[in-house]
Amino acid sequence: MDPRREWFETDYYAVLGVSPDTSGKEITKAYRKLARKHHPDSSDGDEARFKQLSAAYDVIGDADKRTAYDEARRLGPAGFGPRTGGFASGPGGFSVRVEDLGDVGGLFGHLFGNGRGRGGPLPIRGHDLETRVGISFRDAVFGAVTEVAVPDSSGGGIRNVKVRIPAGVDDGGRIRLAGKGSPGSGGGPNGDLFVLVDVAPDADFGRDDRNLTVSVPITFPEAVLGADVKVLDFDGNSVTLRIPPGTPSGKTFRVRGRGIATRRGTGDLLVSVEIVVPTKLSSAEQAAIEALGDVTDFEGGTSRRQRNAAPEPATLADAPGATT
């Protein structure tokens, strides 16, 4: 179908599931949601539907084209005369000269050709494409260069596109490659390529924005008495972490400047300590733990002093708020 005639016969707002008074931002949001769902590479992919969505967004997603489209729809389903400089209906219909439309006519002339022998194919922007790429946690931290395969609409095959992964990219991040989508027609620009990033988890490290997180084990004596513990950062460099006496399990310490370096700044390394409880003890360890238990003023949630001074424990039925 002639793209110009398609404007009069297709409700692009209905295609994207939005109303004619929807803002440009919401139109973009609706298009991206539907494009992800119907992309040929997705589980629910529908290539025909995806092309229909892209064609609709190419028009009403562009402010100038949307203005011309809305005016064309308002004028009615007229055919576009090949050299009349206006719209012409069939026999007994009406004709409108582009020159008589004022500013909107100038916009039509710009989009369609002014009709004085210079008219030609409508410049149509190429479709945006979307694909996914899986990368390692390390590549997400330091950045990398990789390639993705996308359909080559001009040749009907597949083409490889180089993608530069920025340092610090998040799982689910979206990278836009301008002009790397489908080629335009009639002198129109190429579409864009959007690459969705899937980051594999790391065995030891996690992340919190620009901060790296890691958990390290310490012994009970180290937690009680305090100690200097060696910790490896993500680069494998050793960092000395000073554990103060009386450190509880789960306490988090911050090592500044050892996180993810991005253009927005460098994060920190967040180290959480976990007290290791041994499951097998030697006889000497067993004796030491028992001796500690004998002198420790703590039993079952209350101190020994509290337990000795406490009255007889209430039965379940006597306890405040208890039910039977």
Side-chain angles (χ1 to χ4, degrees):
M1 181 187 295
D2 186 331
R4 296 168 296 185
R5 185 172 185 82
E6 184 178 357
W7 280 25
F8 303 104
E9 299 183 0
T10 306
D11 186 346
Y12 288 143
Y13 293 104
V15 171
L16 294 181
V18 298
S19 63
D21 59 355
T22 302
S23 68
K25 183 177 181 181
E26 289 301 315
I27 287 176
T28 298
K29 184 177 179 180
Y31 164 71
R32 289 177 177 173
K33 180 179 179 181
L34 292 171
R36 281 195 297 269
K37 178 181 179 181
H38 296 289
H39 190 280
D41 291 339
S42 70
S43 57
D44 297 324
D46 183 335
E47 185 174 0
R49 175 67 170 147
F50 181 77
K51 289 181 178 179
Q52 186 183 36
L53 293 168
S54 298
Y57 182 67
D58 180 67
V59 176
I60 64 173
D62 180 280
D64 289 341
K65 289 183 182 179
R66 183 181 180 184
T67 299
Y69 173 77
D70 289 344
E71 185 63 15
R73 298 275 294 176
R74 186 184 69 79
L75 292 173
F80 193 93
R83 290 186 179 272
T84 63
F87 302 97
S89 68
F94 66 91
S95 65
V96 180
R97 295 193 309 156
V98 169
E99 294 89 334
D100 296 334
L101 296 178
D103 292 339
V104 175
L107 183 56
F108 275 113
H110 171 69
L111 294 175
F112 290 146
N114 65 13
R116 296 189 178 125
R118 294 192 304 240
L122 173 67
I124 299 178
R125 181 180 181 275
H127 298 320
D128 290 339
L129 299 178
E130 191 171 271
T131 189
R132 308 187 77 95
V133 63
I135 62 173
S136 67
F137 191 90
R138 175 165 290 274
D139 284 345
V141 171
F142 295 116
V145 176
T146 185
E147 287 188 343
V148 293
V150 296
D152 186 357
S153 56
S154 60
I158 297 294
R159 60 189 170 95
N160 292 326
V161 178
K162 184 177 293 186
V163 182
R164 186 174 297 278
I165 308 295
V169 66
D170 286 317
D171 182 45
R174 199 164 184 255
I175 301 172
R176 174 176 175 265
L177 301 179
K180 296 298 184 180
S182 294
S185 60
N190 293 349
D192 298 333
L193 173 63
F194 293 91
V195 181
L196 302 179
V197 181
D198 296 321
V199 180
D202 186 78
D204 299 313
F205 289 85
R207 67 177 295 177
D208 177 11
D209 193 19
R210 285 175 286 172
N211 299 322
L212 288 169
T213 63
V214 68
S215 178
V216 297
I218 61 173
T219 66
F220 180 70
E222 287 173 334
V224 173
L225 303 177
D228 287 343
V229 177
K230 298 292 185 182
V231 179
L232 297 181
D233 67 10
F234 196 72
D235 286 323
N237 299 318
S238 179
V239 178
T240 299
L241 187 66
R242 179 152 294 176
I243 307 296
T247 294
S249 186
K251 174 76 173 179
T252 299
F253 298 89
R254 183 182 298 270
V255 182
R256 298 196 178 276
R258 296 299 183 102
I260 301 173
T262 70
R263 289 177 295 180
R264 297 184 294 120
T266 301
D268 303 325
L269 177 63
L270 305 180
V271 183
S272 297
V273 295
E274 301 293 337
I275 298 175
V276 177
V277 178
T279 57
K280 294 182 179 180
L281 299 174
S282 66
S283 57
E285 290 170 335
Q286 179 78 28
I289 294 297
E290 291 175 351
L292 177 62
D294 291 338
V295 298
T296 298
D297 187 23
F298 186 88
E299 287 186 17
T302 60
S303 69
R304 186 170 298 162
R305 186 180 302 105
Q306 289 173 319
R307 290 171 64 86
N308 292 337
E312 287 294 321
T315 63
L316 178 62
D318 294 334
T323 58
T324 58

